[in-house]
Amino acid sequence: MSGPATGTRPAAGTDRATGADRATWPVPAAGSASATAAAAPVRIALIGTRGFGRVHLENLERLREVGRAELIGVVDLHEPPAAVQGIWHRDLASLLAAHADAPPEVVVIATPIDTHLPLALQALEAGAHVYLEKPPVPALADHAVLERAAEAAGRVVQIGFQARGGAGVDALRDLVATGELGEIDTVRVHGAWSRDRAYYRRSPWAGRRRLGGRRVADGVATNPLAHAVHAGLVVAGIDRLEDIAAVTTELRRAHDIEADDTAFVRIDPVRGAADADLGEDAPSHAAPSREDVVGARSRPSVVCALTTTAPVQAAPWIEVVGPRGTARLSYTEDVLRRTDPDGTATETRHERTDLVENLLDHVRDPEVPLLCPLPATAPFSAVLEAIQSAPDPAPIAPEHVTWLGEGEAARPVVDGIEEALTAALETGAPFSRSGATWAREDAIATWRPSAAAHPSATAPAPQAAADTTTTTGSRADGRDALDEETRS
């Protein structure tokens, strides 16, 4: 699997944020410059019009106003907003039939995770490029299936990890790769959010690992804070599945859910010959080359400490600490703060590129690189596989959890959670080995690529999804707008 295609962007720019919760995700101003702005509008179909689909509707309207996009149809099992009822279809097949003479060039998919693969395959088969919300697929084998389908169709798939639109991720990655801060041992990923009962009751799949025998993967590391995990991998230079030696997890939950709301995740890269062994059953292409092994010796690990049980929600960040300074990126704000050993601090606000607009640029001019192509997200799919392969998260004992608020607005706060996140990041060790009183060492699990069915040309076809365009509602306060939700 190839590494990420990264566009060249200015070092700094002016951001604009609108809406109560959109302050966490700057968006480009309407009418922003584009190398292909003079080209004909790209014909687009949107699957999913609620939840995060509403955000796509607004963004596509912005792109229509500047002549970049033409929304020719939407798909949803439920009635969409009034503004698009005239182009509404209940399934993608009927939309494609209605536009047989001029089919969509791009299909945007904002639906539940377990529907991503069948819908993306259908869109690719119809000859469309795909914009697919994160996480791309619920299983590592599915990732390989989708890559092969895109290659066979001669089309591309862009993944909606919004943090990749921020040039700050590239700036921090460059600091690590060039050694400007000295040798970096660890990339630290911190996410302290707060979610109430209503958040995990907003839909049948919310907070689930499985639903109806199918993977859902709605844990803290694989959905709400997936942006942070993926960005951490990019910063560390872990660009391919073959770069990963092991993933260690400790998954816990305070909410009455099935998935994790508090997670320690450590991704260790291949560092030498011993780590390079992917197992006897691994295909020959999976074995790292000598250059890979040598180059990986300086590649840092990624350590993530994440929760939705914090007392106060804070912007997530990615940090590297080296002998020649520290750099911390608040990726939702696109702000990179660097501190030198003498205490001198500098702050740079970086430009953000809309990932849908980047895909449209690529469609009109293939020389424009995608910022988050499907192959570049393979390491994240491996992390998701590790999390889904671990035992179901054990509940945190009630005596360690304080509930604030009442009814659906009630939210749990785990004792000492902020200190536990900090200790895990500083030590690089799971919660139970870094002093958290509520942690359990039997919750630690380690996954290696050789421990799973490695994606290969013989990977089984994905199970067909029933009601693949089912969409769900979202909170009236819009809290799921741009900080976490990826599907309607």
Side-chain angles (χ1 to χ4, degrees):
M1 298 182 183
S2 61
T6 303
T8 300
R9 294 174 248 176
T14 301
D15 298 313
R16 177 177 66 87
T18 59
D21 208 44
R22 292 195 193 182
T24 60
W25 281 111
V27 296
S32 57
S34 169
T36 57
V42 176
R43 298 186 305 277
I44 297 179
L46 171 64
I47 308 180
T49 62
R50 299 189 293 167
F52 202 76
R54 295 178 307 175
V55 177
H56 279 296
L57 281 174
E58 294 175 7
N59 190 39
L60 291 173
E61 174 61 18
R62 175 185 71 85
L63 294 172
R64 183 196 67 79
E65 291 176 350
V66 297
R68 301 301 324 283
E70 177 190 3
L71 182 60
I72 66 173
V74 300
V75 176
D76 205 310
L77 287 180
H78 306 281
E79 287 196 19
V84 292
Q85 283 195 353
I87 55 172
W88 168 42
H89 301 268
R90 287 188 178 274
D91 56 59
L92 182 56
S94 63
L95 184 152
L96 294 171
H99 295 277
D101 294 336
E105 298 170 88
V106 169
V107 173
V108 177
I109 300 174
T111 59
I113 300 168
D114 65 322
T115 68
H116 284 188
L117 181 61
L119 287 172
L121 293 176
Q122 187 179 4
L124 290 169
E125 186 178 358
H129 300 278
V130 174
Y131 183 96
L132 183 60
E133 277 301 344
K134 61 82 182 162
V137 288
L140 185 56
D142 292 342
H143 196 286
V145 170
L146 187 54
E147 276 201 44
R148 290 198 300 273
E151 184 176 359
R155 295 295 183 264
V156 299
V157 180
Q158 175 101 299
I159 305 301
F161 283 108
Q162 291 105 319
R164 286 304 290 125
V169 173
D170 293 313
L172 187 56
R173 175 187 172 103
D174 288 346
L175 287 177
V176 173
T178 61
E180 188 170 338
L181 300 177
E183 186 168 353
I184 303 299
D185 178 71
T186 304
V187 173
R188 300 172 178 175
V189 179
H190 181 277
W193 280 1
S194 176
R195 291 297 178 262
D196 58 18
R197 282 196 177 106
Y199 173 78
Y200 285 109
R201 294 177 181 175
R202 69 195 187 280
S203 66
W205 49 260
R208 301 294 298 269
R209 282 165 66 86
R210 299 167 295 275
L211 185 63
R214 302 167 58 82
R215 279 190 180 182
V216 176
D218 188 34
V220 64
T222 51
N223 188 23
L225 285 164
H227 301 288
V229 177
H230 178 257
L233 290 164
V234 172
V235 168
I238 298 177
D239 300 329
R240 309 168 307 155
L241 172 62
E242 293 83 7
D243 293 336
I244 295 177
V247 180
T248 300
T249 60
E250 184 175 346
L251 310 177
R252 302 301 305 277
R253 58 180 175 86
H255 280 276
D256 184 18
I257 58 175
E258 182 181 61
D260 52 289
D261 58 35
T262 302
F264 170 91
V265 181
R266 180 184 175 107
I267 304 103
D268 286 306
V270 172
R271 297 186 186 276
D275 287 340
D277 181 13
L278 295 182
E280 294 179 359
D281 297 329
S284 58
H285 76 267
S289 66
R290 179 179 179 279
E291 290 76 12
D292 292 333
V293 173
V294 172
R297 287 173 183 162
S298 60
R299 186 182 290 123
S301 299
V302 179
V303 177
C304 311
L306 314 167
T307 192
T308 57
T309 71
V312 178
Q313 179 156 311
W317 48 260
I318 302 164
E319 181 181 69
V320 295
V321 178
R324 293 198 288 273
T326 299
R328 177 180 292 189
L329 173 68
S330 175
Y331 65 84
T332 58
E333 301 167 335
D334 295 317
V335 173
L336 180 61
R337 299 175 179 89
R338 178 172 172 176
T339 305
D340 295 334
D342 64 2
T344 302
T346 57
E347 182 175 292
T348 306
R349 183 174 293 275
H350 289 269
E351 189 174 79
R352 175 169 293 272
T353 300
D354 177 65
L355 293 182
V356 173
E357 193 163 2
N358 171 239
L359 174 58
L360 303 190
D361 287 344
H362 176 85
V363 170
R364 287 290 176 258
D365 180 5
E367 293 300 313
V368 175
L370 292 178
L371 294 176
C372 196
L374 175 66
T377 66
F380 177 84
S381 289
V383 173
L384 183 149
E385 185 70 29
I387 289 172
Q388 286 293 110
S389 300
D392 286 355
I396 296 173
E399 60 266 27
H400 295 296
V401 180
T402 300
W403 284 84
L404 305 178
E406 298 180 356
E408 293 294 277
R411 57 188 181 88
V413 175
V414 173
D415 291 349
I417 186 62
E418 294 164 308
E419 293 80 5
L421 298 180
T422 299
L425 293 180
E426 290 181 348
T427 63
F431 301 127
S432 57
R433 294 176 181 171
S434 54
T437 58
W438 41 264
R440 284 174 35 179
E441 193 158 349
D442 61 1
I444 298 174
T446 298
W447 177 92
R448 297 177 183 273
S450 59
H454 198 284
S456 67
T458 59
Q463 178 182 348
D467 295 335
T468 55
T469 56
T470 299
T471 60
T472 59
S474 61
R475 293 178 57 88
D477 63 8
R479 190 163 73 185
D480 58 358
L482 276 178
D483 67 357
E484 59 193 308
E485 282 307 300
T486 64
R487 50 209 185 274
S488 55

